[in-house]
């Protein structure tokens, strides 16, 4: 199975909002409301930001929000801060034979 | 607080088997709500899901790796393990263990990662 498609990089100035897209197919993103998003700093393990498309775990800033339309999920970061500079990955459940597919990853650059 | 602890870096020769263990502390591995999984990340690349296992031993495997991977769980020692055989340089990666919320399908707690290098 192919990885979900994300832009290689997205940039923005402090205080701005940016959106990262995650495009899959009708077999994964489009078929389940089971997309999660992870933030990863260099040399560190990923950290859960969003589960089930829109749910934010306790402790995650409300500047992070998720949505989905058709086969594309999105992560929006509002009020961009320097500490948001990291890599971001989406992940979708894809059913009983493939199970989990990650996105290609997006590097967020804070200008 | 739940912690997943992984062992140190590993160097393995091509065609050999990599064995990794993840020790869970701060909570039982015997739980109905979670699976336990492995994800890897080649240098400079993205994440790839490898396998999950439920406390009762029910495994799920990435089809692209299934023929070479075995995942197991040890509820007595609160550990789960991964074996990857017939390794090549393409298996060089950081390997992460993680807890997966079974019904909702997201990874909510991660180990710190183990660097696995395949080289003769």
């Amino acid at each position: 199975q192919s990885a979900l498609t994300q832009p290689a990089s997205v940039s923005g100035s402090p205080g701005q909002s940016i959106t990262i897209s995650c495009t899959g197919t009708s077999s994964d993103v489009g078929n389940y409301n089971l997309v999660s998003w992870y933030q990863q700093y260099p040399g560190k393990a990923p950290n859960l930001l969003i589960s089930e498309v829109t749910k934010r775990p306790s402790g995650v800033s409300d500047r992070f929000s998720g949505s989905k339309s058709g086969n594309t999920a999105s992560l929006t970061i509002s009020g961009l801060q320097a500490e948001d500079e990291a890599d971001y990955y989406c992940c979708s459940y894809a059913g009983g034979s493939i199970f989990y597919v990650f996105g290609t990853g997006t590097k967020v650059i804070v200008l | 607080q739940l912690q997943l602890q992984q062992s140190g870096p590993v160097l393995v020769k091509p065609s050999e088997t990599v064995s990794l263990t993840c020790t869970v502390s701060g909570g039982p591995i015997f739980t109905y709500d979670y699976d336990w999984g492995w994800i890897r990340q080649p240098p400079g690349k993205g994440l790839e899901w490898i396998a999950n296992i439920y406390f009762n031993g029910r495994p799920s495997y990435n089809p692209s790796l299934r023929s070479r991977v075995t995942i197991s769980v040890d509820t007595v020692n609160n550990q789960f393990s991964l074996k990857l055989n017939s390794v090549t340089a393409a298996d060089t990666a950081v390997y992460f263990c993680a807890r997966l919320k079974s019904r909702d399908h997201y990874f909510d707690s991660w180990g710190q990662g183990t660097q696995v290098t395949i080289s003769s």
Side-chain angles (χ1 to χ4, degrees):
Chain A
Q1 73 283 9
S2 299
L4 308 176
T5 301
Q6 298 180 231
S9 66
V10 174
S11 61
S13 299
Q16 287 186 329
S17 293
I18 62 170
T19 296
I20 303 168
S21 61
C22 169
T23 301
T25 69
S26 58
S27 297
D28 40 61
V29 175
N31 198 32
Y32 303 95
N33 288 324
L34 294 169
V35 176
S36 51
W37 288 90
Y38 304 86
Q39 178 189 57
Q40 185 182 33
Y41 292 110
K44 300 295 186 183
N47 183 56
L48 177 68
L49 288 178
I50 297 287
S51 66
E52 300 161 86
V53 178
T54 62
K55 295 182 179 180
R56 202 171 42 247
S58 61
V60 173
S61 171
D62 60 4
R63 297 186 299 105
F64 295 93
S65 61
S67 63
K68 193 187 88 166
S69 177
N71 296 337
T72 299
S74 299
L75 174 73
T76 298
I77 309 175
S78 305
L80 197 63
Q81 299 179 2
E83 67 199 49
D84 299 330
E85 190 160 288
D87 294 325
Y88 293 81
Y89 292 91
C90 61
C91 180
S92 177
Y93 179 67
S97 59
I98 298 174
F99 296 102
Y100 301 97
V101 183
F102 279 94
T104 50
T106 298
K107 183 173 186 61
V108 167
I109 300 166
V110 181
L111 301 172
Chain B
Q1 183 180 352
L2 189 82
Q3 288 192 330
L4 283 71
Q5 187 67 34
Q6 301 181 233
S7 50
V10 173
L11 175 63
V12 175
K13 292 181 170 55
S15 80
E16 293 186 343
T17 297
V18 169
S19 297
L20 301 173
T21 296
C22 185
T23 300
V24 179
S25 61
I29 206 167
F30 185 109
T31 168
Y32 292 98
D33 294 332
Y34 295 95
D35 280 48
W36 305 90
W38 291 93
I39 298 102
R40 70 180 182 178
Q41 185 171 35
K45 295 188 178 180
L47 301 167
E48 179 183 33
W49 172 71
I50 302 171
N52 288 344
I53 193 163
Y54 198 50
F55 76 90
N56 65 1
R58 178 204 69 201
S60 303
Y61 293 109
N62 185 323
S64 67
L65 297 168
R66 184 185 182 97
S67 64
R68 299 194 293 127
V69 171
T70 302
I71 190 171
S72 59
V73 64
D74 178 355
T75 55
V76 172
N77 293 304
N78 238 36
Q79 295 177 331
F80 61 105
S81 299
L82 180 79
K83 290 187 188 297
L84 177 65
N85 60 39
S86 304
V87 297
T88 70
D91 295 311
T92 293
V94 176
Y95 286 69
F96 295 100
C97 62
R99 187 177 75 169
L100 171 77
K101 189 78 187 302
S102 302
R103 286 186 182 275
D104 305 313
H105 301 283
Y106 59 85
F107 299 93
D108 69 345
S109 188
W110 295 66
Q112 80 275 25
T114 294
Q115 175 66 52
V116 173
T117 303
I118 312 301
S119 175
S120 55

